[in-house]
Amino acid sequence: MVWYAGAMRSYGQFCSVARALDVIGDRWNLLIVRELMLRGQCRYTDLRAGLPGIATNLLADRLRELEQAGVVERRDAPPPIATTVFELTERGRKLEPVIRELGRWGIELMPDTDPRLAFRSYWLEFPVGLYLTDRRPDAPPITIEVRVGEDPMVIETVDGEVRSHPGSVADPDVVLGGPAPALLGLVTGKLSLAGARNRGLRVEGDLEALGRVLPDPVAS
Amino acid sequence: MVWYAGAMRSYGQFCSVARALDVIGDRWNLLIVRELMLRGQCRYTDLRAGLPGIATNLLADRLRELEQAGVVERRDAPPPIATTVFELTERGRKLEPVIRELGRWGIELMPDTDPRLAFRSYWLEFPVGLYLTDRRPDAPPITIEVRVGEDPMVIETVDGEVRSHPGSVADPDVVLGGPAPALLGLVTGKLSLAGARNRGLRVEGDLEALGRVLPDPVAS
DNA sequence: CGGCATCCTCTTTGATACTG
DNA sequence: CAGTATCAAAGAGGATGCCG
């Protein structure tokens, strides 16, 4: 069967914004890029797990289109693994500012609470990178383990920067748990520590280490 | 008739990138924002003119959704004008970084030539702001008139910055004309002045003034 | 005119089932 | 695991009509 890979509907405008949207403006496309950006190499099944609700044929279509547009690369992993992995190309990685600005803009639209929404812990990496800063870069580094959603995540101070990534850590300075909206409110400064606890946040460990990276809260 | 304003399909994810796309991810939405950002207040008909190909019912639907989401504001202009105008709200204006990063990313995907694409001269304002700089901010200001597409546009140096806006100017230092791809190539540095002329660019006036704001070309 | 609403057709999406 | 096949529902595109 031949069908010329989607033909890629275009706005037909000589404008770089419109051209960008020709390529990554279709539904799901930027979320596929988000997944690959946050998790690196992904298998087809990993992507499905991070994109709840996507139809499997749509994911296959989109990956083909993004590959053709030079945003995504497909590689057949070597023998021991024997599976296909997808990852961003250089062009795809250049979408990071777009995704980050979208995420920044979307923060104000986040619901205070809605238990029906899907959640993956690594989605918190964007707000963590945007809102947390190390106020005492010369002090010894700290680590915070976040237990929200399925998999744990680590926040750590490295050379004055605050990084985060999936995974666990031995003997963290702080352990955070509870519902995602409470944690997000704490990270963005929309909730104070007390306010976040009211919303179900659980905090164990060194509160001073936590305060070192949190922004000043603007509300309760 | 009741129809609950589009119900606004959602990805259903607790992620600010997904939330942003819930609101401005639908087809045409970001281009509507682009139009309002570049042109300010617009009438319905102005928007249609800047969005060739949009179905009229879709534009009406989208404007209602964007209004409901607090991105766009509708105002009935006072008696003498007696028409409705649309403009961005504060939240809408905050989309500027998103649009700018999209435009930056899309530059590399622009075709070298394609006469079938629609074009409006004010669409050049994004690349102008991204690529042109005043290399001699202390020298007297200069003005460049661009005659590409239907309406003229002015580029001028103001306090060391390069600004652009629709309109004309008396006695400009340089007048540029010709096909849009040639002008874009010149602005982004993908074409030298000679290369742009080969592609149909017309230049009249003070070449030195022009060189003062252009980037170093990276190719011919 | 300016600002839509309706009607119709075509394409895209979503849900589910099935396959090498 | 990495998709393809199928089908119903929703959305997009185009033409036209309506009303102040």
Side-chain angles (χ1 to χ4, degrees):
Chain A
M1 180 195 13
V2 182
W3 39 277
Y4 304 111
M8 195 83 73
R9 182 172 48 166
S10 165
Y11 285 108
Q13 300 184 356
F14 190 77
C15 161
S16 64
V17 177
R19 276 300 294 154
L21 292 172
D22 283 345
V23 173
I24 44 77
D26 277 359
R27 196 163 164 77
W28 292 109
N29 271 349
L30 275 175
L31 293 186
I32 292 172
V33 173
R34 174 200 69 189
E35 287 297 306
L36 292 170
M37 199 166 286
L38 289 176
R39 307 214 287 173
Q41 279 189 356
C42 285
R43 292 170 304 175
Y44 189 87
T45 319
D46 299 329
L47 287 170
R48 286 191 59 181
L51 300 167
I54 196 172
T56 161
N57 54 354
L58 251 194
L59 178 55
D61 285 355
R62 292 292 191 259
L63 285 171
R64 238 178 278 116
E65 291 171 15
L66 290 172
E67 195 185 353
Q68 199 190 306
V71 174
V72 161
E73 204 168 6
R74 168 197 316 256
R75 285 190 314 153
D76 292 323
I81 310 183
T83 184
T84 319
V85 292
F86 299 88
E87 61 186 327
L88 292 178
T89 61
E90 177 62 24
R91 174 177 290 171
R93 269 175 258 125
K94 285 192 184 154
L95 280 167
E96 190 183 329
V98 173
I99 305 254
R100 207 179 15 214
E101 292 300 338
L102 268 174
R104 189 200 305 275
W105 188 80
I107 285 272
E108 296 187 19
L109 303 166
M110 295 291 279
D112 279 352
T113 172
D114 190 339
R116 293 166 310 169
L117 295 181
F119 178 72
R120 303 289 180 270
S121 50
Y122 55 87
W123 292 345
L124 285 172
E125 287 184 40
F126 279 121
V128 164
L130 280 172
Y131 285 90
L132 299 194
T133 52
D134 189 356
R135 304 177 178 204
R136 290 172 52 206
D138 298 326
I142 60 171
T143 56
I144 303 174
E145 187 166 313
V146 179
R147 294 177 190 156
V148 174
E150 326 259 279
D151 303 300
M153 194 182 75
V154 177
I155 300 173
E156 55 191 351
T157 60
V158 182
D159 299 329
E161 283 194 29
V162 178
R163 302 269 178 84
S164 60
H165 53 84
S168 198
V169 68
D171 207 20
D173 298 282
V174 187
V175 175
L176 299 175
L183 190 56
L184 183 70
L186 185 73
V187 166
T188 60
K190 277 181 193 143
L191 293 176
S192 66
L193 185 54
R197 277 179 153 142
N198 271 338
R199 307 242 181 191
L201 186 81
R202 293 190 308 275
V203 185
E204 294 162 28
D206 180 359
L207 290 188
E208 210 165 325
L210 184 58
R212 175 172 152 186
V213 295
L214 286 183
D216 291 317
V218 294
S220 70
Chain B
M1 184 203 2
V2 183
W3 38 270
Y4 303 113
M8 195 84 72
R9 184 172 45 166
S10 166
Y11 286 108
Q13 300 185 357
F14 190 77
C15 161
S16 63
V17 177
R19 276 299 293 153
L21 292 171
D22 284 345
V23 174
I24 44 77
D26 276 359
R27 194 162 166 75
W28 292 107
N29 271 347
L30 275 176
L31 293 187
I32 293 173
V33 173
R34 174 200 69 186
E35 287 296 306
L36 292 170
M37 199 167 285
L38 289 176
R39 308 214 288 172
Q41 280 190 356
C42 285
R43 291 171 304 174
Y44 188 86
T45 319
D46 300 330
L47 288 170
R48 284 192 62 182
L51 300 167
I54 195 172
T56 159
N57 55 353
L58 252 192
L59 178 55
D61 285 356
R62 292 293 191 258
L63 284 171
R64 238 178 276 116
E65 291 171 16
L66 290 173
E67 195 185 352
Q68 199 190 305
V71 175
V72 161
E73 203 170 7
R74 169 197 315 257
R75 287 190 315 153
D76 292 324
I81 309 181
T83 185
T84 319
V85 292
F86 300 89
E87 61 187 327
L88 293 178
T89 62
E90 177 62 24
R91 175 176 291 168
R93 269 174 259 126
K94 284 190 185 154
L95 280 167
E96 190 182 328
V98 173
I99 305 257
R100 207 179 13 216
E101 292 300 337
L102 268 173
R104 189 200 307 274
W105 188 80
I107 285 273
E108 296 186 20
L109 303 166
M110 295 291 278
D112 278 352
T113 171
D114 190 337
R116 293 167 310 168
L117 295 180
F119 177 71
R120 303 290 179 270
S121 50
Y122 55 86
W123 292 345
L124 285 172
E125 288 185 38
F126 280 120
V128 165
L130 281 172
Y131 285 91
L132 299 195
T133 53
D134 189 356
R135 302 176 177 206
R136 291 172 52 207
D138 297 326
I142 59 170
T143 56
I144 302 173
E145 187 166 314
V146 179
R147 293 177 192 157
V148 175
E150 325 259 281
D151 302 302
M153 196 181 74
V154 176
I155 301 174
E156 53 191 350
T157 61
V158 181
D159 298 330
E161 285 193 26
V162 178
R163 302 269 178 82
S164 61
H165 54 84
S168 198
V169 67
D171 207 21
D173 296 282
V174 187
V175 175
L176 299 175
L183 189 56
L184 183 70
L186 184 73
V187 166
T188 61
K190 275 179 195 144
L191 293 177
S192 66
L193 186 54
R197 277 180 153 143
N198 270 337
R199 306 243 181 192
L201 185 80
R202 293 190 307 274
V203 185
E204 294 163 28
D206 180 0
L207 290 187
E208 210 166 325
L210 184 58
R212 175 172 153 187
V213 294
L214 287 183
D216 290 317
V218 295
S220 70

